[in-house]
Amino acid sequence: MTWTRVRLLVVGVVLVLLGLPSGPAAATGGADGAGAPGRISYDVGLRADATGTRWSGRERITFTNTGREPLREVYLRLWGNAVDGCAAPPVTVSGLRGGTDAGLSVGCTALRVRLARPLAPGDGTSVAFRLTLTVPDRDHRFGRQGPYRLLGNALPVLAVRDAAGWHLDPDVGFGESYYTLAADFRVRLDHPAGLVVPATGRTVTGAAAPGRAVTVSRADKVRDFAWAAGPFRTASEVSPDGVLVRAFWTADTAPANVAQVRADAAASVDDFGRRFGRYPYGELDLVMSPAFGFGSMEYPGLVLLWTTDDGAATVHEVAHQWWYGIVGNDEFGAPWLDESFASYASLLFAGDDGAGCWADLWWPDRQGLEITRSMGWLAEPADHSGWTFPLYTAGPCALQDLERELGSPAMAALMRDYARDHWYGISTTAGFKAAAERAAGHDLTRFWADHRIR
């Protein structure tokens, strides 16, 4: 994610494409710390009102108990309720089937579902429910902006249970708290024909009832699903390496900014594909506005871009398609694994080798501050002061120092191989440190200590 206050250290539809091959051969690669439930698929059908503000319909989630113990319950994360809490939740679930509503917690962002019967390891089941989403009247990634509606983190998704138990962390508000496993989404969005609807996945829009259209999306091995709706202007192109890049922008977006975003996205998605493994999703949607007060935000196959940024946002959010999207992580517990890695990737794209990057840097005066701290720790003190430094400045600088320690060819191989080995899986700090030790061929204990990577 790129916030308005964060300054990164970087310079700023043809249906046949829907069948593009996905990812490297190790597409089911390792997943350090990955948990249960797994083998998840979401089937969603929603109908919008006249403005795209209210969406109602149903959702079915099918999954397997990939853990070692019987699974008696699951949790749905209703992240869209994070701001309003229980007072007026914009995400509501009713009519559960396959389980029993066992109550909301964590500010109405976690719904406990007691399964109809214990699910043995290796067995599968599904839960289904009616769903209503009301887009809040606020400038937010799940919010409204004039005639435009943004639906990021709106769909209920399954929480993860691993060796540490259920991950039911709160939404910290100023960054990401999300931890999800790769899943398959099939989403059908029925909406007024006058609304343009960019969405995660490979999408096709066709006519429906008079005055209405249906946008159908298929998204395989993604960690979330987001969409937008409004009178967007749009254009499409195919990058030199074959990725369909679709641009959507609000009427007040400057043409020069549209052109720059499109060029940066097409160039960076190909560049990162060559560095880390080919972009597997076929389509990348860019949703632009000069008025996104929340900054920019990444979702699988779709990014929200604040076009008055210095240009760094586009490349950074595209880099997140690999570091958060393809290679997942616990964004609450180990945020550096996506933010610092995406920032480092952006520096690689810009040709910035970070020589002397520590020269003008100073650590904020806060006892115990480390690159690898959790969002929960970084959320203190209340003003969140200093949280950007370890993730967006010290973290990528440490990775540049690691490149100098290993040598550029070895670092490039490390990043490529690490992505391959965790393709659609979960990255952990311990896993990355172990991979770096193997690549270095010598002990890196002093390096980790010097760079506050614990």
Coordinates of all heavy atoms in Angstrom, one line a residue, residues 153-190:
N153 N -11.8 -4.9 0.2 CA -12.0 -5.6 1.5 C -13.5 -5.6 1.9 O -13.8 -5.5 3.1 CB -11.2 -4.9 2.6 CG -9.7 -4.8 2.2 OD1 -9.2 -3.7 2.0 ND2 -9.1 -6.0 2.1
A154 N -14.4 -5.8 0.9 CA -15.8 -5.8 1.2 C -16.4 -7.2 1.3 O -17.2 -7.4 2.2 CB -16.5 -5.0 0.1
L155 N -15.9 -8.1 0.5 CA -16.4 -9.5 0.5 C -15.9 -10.2 1.8 O -14.7 -10.2 2.1 CB -16.0 -10.3 -0.7 CG -16.8 -10.2 -2.0 CD1 -16.2 -11.2 -3.0 CD2 -18.2 -10.4 -1.8
P156 N -16.8 -10.9 2.5 CA -16.3 -11.8 3.6 C -15.4 -12.9 3.1 O -15.6 -13.5 2.0 CB -17.6 -12.4 4.1 CG -18.7 -11.4 3.7 CD -18.3 -10.9 2.4
V157 N -14.3 -13.1 3.8 CA -13.3 -14.1 3.5 C -13.0 -14.9 4.7 O -13.2 -14.4 5.9 CB -12.0 -13.5 2.9 CG1 -12.3 -12.9 1.5 CG2 -11.4 -12.5 3.8
L158 N -12.5 -16.1 4.6 CA -12.2 -17.0 5.7 C -10.9 -16.5 6.4 O -9.9 -16.1 5.8 CB -11.9 -18.4 5.2 CG -13.2 -19.2 4.8 CD1 -12.7 -20.6 4.3 CD2 -14.1 -19.3 6.0
A159 N -10.9 -16.5 7.7 CA -9.8 -16.3 8.5 C -8.9 -17.5 8.5 O -9.3 -18.6 8.0 CB -10.2 -16.0 10.0
V160 N -7.6 -17.4 8.9 CA -6.6 -18.4 8.8 C -6.3 -19.0 10.2 O -6.2 -18.2 11.2 CB -5.3 -17.9 8.2 CG1 -4.2 -19.0 8.2 CG2 -5.5 -17.4 6.8
R161 N -6.3 -20.3 10.3 CA -5.8 -20.9 11.6 C -4.5 -21.6 11.3 O -4.5 -22.5 10.4 CB -6.9 -21.9 12.1 CG -6.5 -22.5 13.5 CD -7.5 -23.5 13.9 NE -7.2 -24.8 13.2 CZ -7.9 -25.9 13.5 NH1 -8.8 -26.0 14.5 NH2 -7.6 -27.0 12.8
D162 N -3.5 -21.3 12.0 CA -2.2 -22.0 11.8 C -1.7 -22.5 13.2 O -2.5 -22.5 14.2 CB -1.2 -21.2 11.1 CG -0.9 -19.8 11.8 OD1 -1.2 -19.7 13.0 OD2 -0.4 -18.9 11.1
A163 N -0.4 -22.7 13.3 CA 0.2 -23.2 14.6 C -0.1 -22.2 15.7 O -0.1 -22.6 16.9 CB 1.7 -23.5 14.4
A164 N -0.2 -20.9 15.4 CA -0.5 -19.9 16.4 C -2.0 -19.8 16.8 O -2.3 -19.0 17.7 CB 0.0 -18.6 16.0
G165 N -2.8 -20.6 16.1 CA -4.3 -20.5 16.4 C -5.0 -19.7 15.3 O -4.4 -19.4 14.2
W166 N -6.2 -19.2 15.6 CA -6.9 -18.4 14.7 C -6.4 -17.0 14.7 O -6.1 -16.4 15.7 CB -8.4 -18.3 15.1 CG -9.2 -19.5 14.8 CD1 -9.6 -20.5 15.6 CD2 -9.6 -20.0 13.5 NE1 -10.3 -21.5 15.0 CE2 -10.3 -21.2 13.6 CE3 -9.5 -19.4 12.2 CZ2 -10.9 -21.9 12.6 CZ3 -10.1 -20.1 11.1 CH2 -10.7 -21.3 11.3
H167 N -6.2 -16.4 13.5 CA -5.7 -15.0 13.3 C -6.9 -14.1 13.2 O -7.6 -14.0 12.2 CB -4.8 -14.9 12.1 CG -3.5 -15.6 12.3 ND1 -2.3 -14.8 12.6 CD2 -3.1 -16.9 12.3 CE1 -1.3 -15.6 12.8 NE2 -1.7 -16.9 12.6
L168 N -7.2 -13.5 14.3 CA -8.4 -12.6 14.4 C -8.0 -11.2 14.8 O -8.5 -10.6 15.7 CB -9.4 -13.2 15.4 CG -9.9 -14.6 15.1 CD1 -10.9 -15.0 16.2 CD2 -10.6 -14.6 13.7
D169 N -7.0 -10.7 14.1 CA -6.4 -9.4 14.4 C -7.3 -8.3 14.1 O -8.1 -8.4 13.2 CB -5.0 -9.2 13.7 CG -4.1 -10.4 14.0 OD1 -3.8 -10.6 15.2 OD2 -3.6 -11.1 13.1
P170 N -7.2 -7.1 14.8 CA -8.0 -6.0 14.4 C -7.5 -5.3 13.2 O -6.4 -5.4 12.8 CB -7.9 -5.1 15.6 CG -6.6 -5.4 16.2 CD -6.3 -6.9 15.9
D171 N -8.4 -4.5 12.6 CA -8.0 -3.6 11.5 C -7.3 -2.4 12.1 O -7.9 -1.7 12.9 CB -9.2 -3.2 10.6 CG -8.8 -2.5 9.3 OD1 -8.0 -1.6 9.4 OD2 -9.3 -2.8 8.3
V172 N -6.0 -2.2 11.8 CA -5.3 -1.0 12.4 C -5.6 0.3 11.7 O -5.3 1.3 12.3 CB -3.8 -1.3 12.4 CG1 -3.4 -2.5 13.2 CG2 -3.3 -1.5 10.9
G173 N -6.3 0.3 10.6 CA -6.8 1.5 10.0 C -5.8 2.2 9.1 O -6.1 2.8 8.0
F174 N -4.5 2.3 9.5 CA -3.5 3.0 8.7 C -2.6 2.1 7.8 O -1.7 2.6 7.1 CB -2.6 3.8 9.7 CG -1.8 2.9 10.6 CD1 -0.6 2.5 10.3 CD2 -2.4 2.6 11.9 CE1 0.1 1.7 11.2 CE2 -1.7 1.8 12.8 CZ -0.4 1.3 12.4
G175 N -2.9 0.9 7.8 CA -2.1 -0.1 7.0 C -3.0 -1.3 6.8 O -4.2 -1.2 6.9
E176 N -2.3 -2.4 6.5 CA -3.1 -3.7 6.3 C -3.0 -4.6 7.5 O -1.9 -4.7 8.1 CB -2.6 -4.4 5.1 CG -3.1 -3.7 3.8 CD -2.2 -2.6 3.4 OE1 -1.0 -2.8 3.1 OE2 -2.6 -1.4 3.4
S177 N -4.1 -5.3 7.8 CA -4.1 -6.3 8.9 C -4.4 -7.7 8.3 O -4.7 -8.6 9.1 CB -5.2 -5.9 9.9 OG -4.9 -4.7 10.5
Y178 N -4.4 -7.9 7.0 CA -5.0 -9.0 6.4 C -4.1 -10.2 6.3 O -2.9 -10.1 6.1 CB -5.6 -8.6 5.0 CG -6.3 -7.3 5.1 CD1 -5.9 -6.2 4.2 CD2 -7.2 -7.0 6.0 CE1 -6.5 -5.0 4.3 CE2 -7.8 -5.8 6.1 CZ -7.5 -4.8 5.2 OH -8.1 -3.5 5.3
Y179 N -4.7 -11.4 6.4 CA -3.9 -12.6 6.3 C -4.9 -13.6 5.7 O -5.8 -14.1 6.4 CB -3.4 -13.1 7.7 CG -2.6 -14.4 7.8 CD1 -2.0 -14.9 6.6 CD2 -2.4 -15.0 9.0 CE1 -1.3 -16.1 6.7 CE2 -1.7 -16.2 9.1 CZ -1.1 -16.7 7.9 OH -0.4 -17.9 8.0
T180 N -4.7 -14.0 4.5 CA -5.6 -14.9 3.8 C -4.8 -15.9 2.9 O -3.7 -15.6 2.5 CB -6.6 -14.2 2.9 OG1 -5.8 -13.3 2.0 CG2 -7.5 -13.3 3.7
L181 N -5.4 -17.0 2.7 CA -4.7 -18.0 1.8 C -5.3 -17.9 0.4 O -6.4 -17.4 0.2 CB -5.0 -19.4 2.4 CG -4.6 -19.7 3.8 CD1 -4.9 -21.2 4.1 CD2 -3.1 -19.4 4.0
A182 N -4.5 -18.3 -0.5 CA -4.9 -18.2 -1.9 C -6.1 -19.1 -2.2 O -6.3 -20.2 -1.6 CB -3.8 -18.7 -2.8
A183 N -7.1 -18.5 -2.9 CA -8.4 -19.2 -3.1 C -8.9 -18.9 -4.6 O -8.3 -18.0 -5.2 CB -9.4 -18.7 -2.1
D184 N -9.9 -19.6 -5.0 CA -10.5 -19.4 -6.3 C -11.8 -18.6 -6.1 O -12.6 -19.0 -5.2 CB -10.8 -20.7 -7.0 CG -9.5 -21.5 -7.3 OD1 -8.4 -20.8 -7.3 OD2 -9.6 -22.7 -7.4
F185 N -12.0 -17.6 -6.9 CA -13.3 -16.8 -6.8 C -14.0 -16.9 -8.1 O -13.4 -16.8 -9.2 CB -13.0 -15.3 -6.6 CG -12.5 -15.0 -5.1 CD1 -11.2 -15.2 -4.7 CD2 -13.4 -14.4 -4.2 CE1 -10.8 -14.9 -3.4 CE2 -13.0 -14.1 -3.0 CZ -11.7 -14.4 -2.5
R186 N -15.3 -17.1 -8.0 CA -16.2 -17.0 -9.2 C -17.3 -16.0 -8.7 O -18.1 -16.2 -7.8 CB -16.9 -18.3 -9.5 CG -15.9 -19.4 -9.8 CD -15.1 -19.2 -11.1 NE -14.2 -20.3 -11.4 CZ -13.0 -20.3 -11.0 NH1 -12.5 -19.3 -10.3 NH2 -12.2 -21.4 -11.3
V187 N -17.3 -14.8 -9.4 CA -18.1 -13.7 -8.9 C -19.0 -13.2 -10.1 O -18.4 -12.9 -11.2 CB -17.3 -12.5 -8.3 CG1 -18.1 -11.4 -7.9 CG2 -16.4 -13.1 -7.2
R188 N -20.3 -13.0 -9.8 CA -21.2 -12.5 -10.8 C -21.8 -11.2 -10.3 O -22.5 -11.3 -9.2 CB -22.3 -13.5 -11.1 CG -23.3 -13.1 -12.2 CD -24.3 -14.2 -12.4 NE -25.2 -14.0 -13.6 CZ -26.3 -13.3 -13.5 NH1 -26.7 -12.7 -12.4 NH2 -27.0 -13.1 -14.6
L189 N -21.6 -10.1 -10.9 CA -22.1 -8.8 -10.5 C -23.1 -8.3 -11.5 O -22.8 -8.0 -12.6 CB -20.9 -7.8 -10.4 CG -19.8 -8.3 -9.4 CD1 -18.6 -7.4 -9.5 CD2 -20.3 -8.3 -8.0
D190 N -24.3 -8.2 -11.0 CA -25.4 -7.7 -11.8 C -25.6 -6.2 -11.5 O -25.8 -5.8 -10.3 CB -26.7 -8.4 -11.5 CG -27.9 -8.0 -12.3 OD1 -28.0 -6.8 -12.6 OD2 -28.8 -8.9 -12.5

